[in-house]
Amino acid sequence: DKPCYSSRGTVPVRLIGEIIVQEMSLHSWDIRNMFEENPGFDSGSVAPISWRIVKVLQKPEAQFFSPNYSADTGETTPVRYRMRVTDGDLSEHDLVMKEGRVRLEAASTAVPDASFGCDTETFCLLFYKRLSFVQAVDDGRLSTEGPDDLISDFRSWLDDVTIRGLH
């Protein structure tokens, strides 16, 4: 992995294409959002940027910065949040929170404590902070299943978290 210098620091050269697609897609969406109601991503960019989210979240060294929210509830039993993406190749993934740590993994056979369903574009907009959790639910873009307190905890985490490598 030959190093390449970018505004994010030194990154492997193989990631430069992904970063460029991500940046162009997000900036395009941001500009169109000022003039259009409910702009979408360009169809060719949704898959690469959604997989970028998954790859960043699956890294063992993934860093989540959430200054106002602590996933550490003192519980030693993990809380499993299932994300069901209804289109594309993402399918289902679990965000597992335990003792203040968060990890993303492929959906397991374990029953989730709460689950959320959306399309790939909504998944991207949520994790790139272009759409709030509440707005996605209100617009019918995000479905929720599970106890209200767990859904509220996940909303608080998602609204507050910054994921190093995405932002």
Side-chain angles (χ1 to χ4, degrees), residues 35-91:
F35 303 104
E36 301 172 18
E37 191 171 324
N38 301 318
F41 285 115
D42 293 329
S43 62
S45 66
V46 174
I49 64 175
S50 63
W51 278 108
R52 177 148 176 74
I53 295 168
V54 170
K55 285 196 305 191
V56 167
L57 294 177
Q58 284 180 330
K59 289 181 180 179
E61 72 276 10
Q63 295 179 5
F64 302 90
F65 300 99
S66 187
N68 299 314
Y69 176 78
S70 172
D72 189 0
T73 60
E75 293 287 329
T76 55
T77 304
V79 177
R80 184 173 298 275
Y81 296 100
R82 177 135 323 139
M83 292 293 301
R84 290 185 174 101
V85 180
T86 58
D87 63 343
D89 296 331
L90 288 181
S91 188

Side-chain angles (χ1 to χ4, degrees), residues 1-156:
D1 278 341
K2 187 173 177 113
C4 185
Y5 300 97
S6 77
S7 60
R8 296 173 182 224
T10 305
V11 297
V13 73
R14 65 181 162 69
L15 293 182
I16 295 299
E18 287 180 16
I19 292 170
I20 290 171
V21 169
Q22 171 190 309
E23 293 297 319
M24 297 290 289
S25 299
L26 292 172
H27 291 306
S28 171
W29 187 92
D30 289 338
I31 292 166
R32 288 183 298 111
N33 188 47
M34 293 189 300
F35 303 104
E36 301 172 18
E37 191 171 324
N38 301 318
F41 285 115
D42 293 329
S43 62
S45 66
V46 174
I49 64 175
S50 63
W51 278 108
R52 177 148 176 74
I53 295 168
V54 170
K55 285 196 305 191
V56 167
L57 294 177
Q58 284 180 330
K59 289 181 180 179
E61 72 276 10
Q63 295 179 5
F64 302 90
F65 300 99
S66 187
N68 299 314
Y69 176 78
S70 172
D72 189 0
T73 60
E75 293 287 329
T76 55
T77 304
V79 177
R80 184 173 298 275
Y81 296 100
R82 177 135 323 139
M83 292 293 301
R84 290 185 174 101
V85 180
T86 58
D87 63 343
D89 296 331
L90 288 181
S91 188
E92 295 183 349
H93 285 82
D94 289 349
L95 268 167
V96 181
M97 298 183 180
K98 179 182 177 184
E99 298 174 344
R101 303 191 65 108
V102 180
R103 72 178 184 279
L104 182 79
E105 56 189 43
S108 71
T109 57
V111 175
D113 298 293
S115 60
F116 309 95
C118 62
D119 61 16
T120 307
E121 182 173 87
T122 300
F123 175 81
C124 293
L125 291 171
L126 286 167
F127 278 90
Y128 282 112
K129 306 288 191 198
R130 291 342 194 245
L131 181 64
S132 74
F133 185 94
V134 170
Q135 190 65 51
V137 170
D138 289 349
D139 290 349
R141 297 181 72 159
L142 180 67
S143 64
T144 63
E145 295 175 30
D148 289 342
D149 61 329
L150 290 180
I151 291 170
S152 179
D153 284 350
F154 184 80
R155 179 198 52 78
S156 295

